[in-house]
Amino acid sequence: MKNIITFLHDLQCNNNREWFNAHKSEYIAVQARFNTFVEELIKEISLFDPAVEGLTAKDCTYRIYRDTRFSSDKSPYKTHLGAFICRGGKKSGYSGYYFQISAGKKDTTSELPFIECEEQTDSWQDIHFLASGDYCYPPEVLQVIREDIMNGEGDFEHIIKHKIDSGFRLDTDNMLKRNPKGFPNDAPYSEYLRLKYFCLMYPVDTDFVCAPNLAQRLAKLFQTTKPFIDYVNRAVDYVKEQN
């Protein structure tokens, strides 16, 4: 992974088409290395979640080219590589397991020859992390998840607090200030009903990413989130059946 991170750092500091075209062969090598890793990770995850068996890296990975049409940031390239491994592939609508490796920020504790860029941010785009869940639930899926939580007598909270590795946390960014329409203000488990998306986050450092047996270690962490994935995907299945 060291070569991948170093390339992403170089790209972060030279995010323009001229530099990228001059280093296209390096990117192709990095992409191939990452895709090989993703295939290994799919295999490891399929050992506890057979629904992802048979997926390929192409089913789970993304283009490095940014869509800048509606963004004030016109940098043409992403400075991270990610894979979303879920039943049916990344466009299926199901929740799954995401891993991202990033250019990150300068890491003074690592021996990697990182380049310090002039601009550094603290967004999720700039760090290595694991995530389980999704960010793009249709309104009807969100409705079913919230109904399940409100009427589930604490089963969702039990999963969150007792089934998942303690390094994961629910992403509560941008949560609603009050319960959504149709849910009483005093509804049980309102702190979960106000979530706009259901996703567990687990940031990791460069040493974690570069240590041996990464795919196996990621799969071991992801396995603890399978009850959460199953809970959410139950709602996805229900909506798909209704349609």
Side-chain angles (χ1 to χ4, degrees):
M1 291 295 159
K2 292 181 180 180
N3 290 341
I4 295 177
I5 297 172
T6 299
F7 174 83
L8 292 173
H9 265 270
D10 291 345
L11 177 58
Q12 183 184 61
C13 297
N14 301 276
N15 201 330
N16 59 77
R17 290 179 176 83
E18 293 76 17
W19 185 90
F20 187 84
N21 289 336
H23 295 79
K24 190 67 172 290
S25 61
E26 294 175 38
Y27 168 67
I28 292 173
V30 162
Q31 183 184 44
R33 172 68 186 89
F34 186 71
N35 287 349
T36 297
F37 165 76
V38 172
E39 300 274 0
E40 182 182 2
L41 183 57
I42 292 169
K43 182 179 179 180
E44 293 294 330
I45 291 176
S46 70
L47 296 177
F48 67 83
D49 191 344
V52 307
E53 190 172 1
L55 293 175
T56 66
K58 185 177 180 181
D59 298 321
C60 307
T61 54
Y62 301 88
R63 288 160 50 87
I64 199 167
Y65 307 98
R66 294 183 64 246
D67 183 352
T68 61
R69 292 174 298 172
F70 308 107
S71 174
S72 58
D73 179 4
K74 299 303 180 181
S75 302
Y77 306 105
K78 301 171 186 175
T79 56
H80 62 271
L81 296 176
F84 184 45
I85 301 171
C86 68
R87 171 182 168 188
K90 62 191 176 188
K91 297 181 180 180
S92 67
Y94 285 100
S95 284
Y97 316 93
Y98 180 79
F99 173 66
Q100 175 176 294
I101 184 169
S102 172
K105 299 184 293 183
K106 185 179 180 182
D107 187 344
T108 57
T109 66
S110 173
E111 296 179 357
L112 289 175
F114 285 164
I115 300 172
E116 185 172 14
C117 301
E118 294 181 2
E119 297 184 3
Q120 302 286 359
T121 68
D122 294 316
S123 77
W124 287 108
Q125 303 299 316
D126 300 317
I127 64 173
H128 318 303
F129 69 91
L130 300 70
S132 289
D134 200 357
Y135 277 94
C136 301
Y137 298 109
E140 56 269 29
V141 172
L142 279 176
Q143 178 74 14
V144 174
I145 295 173
R146 288 164 173 161
E147 290 174 355
D148 285 348
I149 292 173
M150 183 176 68
N151 300 318
E153 299 182 348
D155 54 350
F156 181 79
E157 185 171 68
H158 181 74
I159 290 172
I160 296 299
K161 292 187 175 181
H162 302 288
K163 297 291 187 180
I164 296 166
D165 186 282
S166 60
F168 284 96
R169 68 170 180 83
L170 269 174
D171 189 345
T172 58
D173 289 348
N174 303 313
M175 67 187 302
L176 301 171
K177 294 182 179 179
R178 56 181 60 88
N179 285 358
K181 184 178 180 180
F183 294 87
N185 289 332
D186 60 350
Y189 312 107
S190 289
E191 67 271 30
Y192 303 125
L193 303 182
R194 295 171 187 157
L195 295 170
K196 287 186 177 181
Y197 30 71
F198 289 84
C199 195
L200 299 165
M201 310 296 291
Y202 192 127
V204 293
D205 60 21
T206 299
D207 290 335
F208 178 96
V209 171
C210 293
N213 304 314
L214 177 60
Q216 291 80 6
R217 289 183 289 111
L218 290 176
K220 185 176 180 180
L221 290 170
F222 279 137
Q223 185 172 6
T224 70
T225 69
K226 189 174 184 296
F228 173 82
I229 295 296
D230 290 343
Y231 190 100
V232 174
N233 279 341
R234 182 177 66 185
V236 178
D237 273 330
Y238 177 82
V239 170
K240 286 180 178 290
E241 290 170 1
Q242 298 306 304
N243 294 334

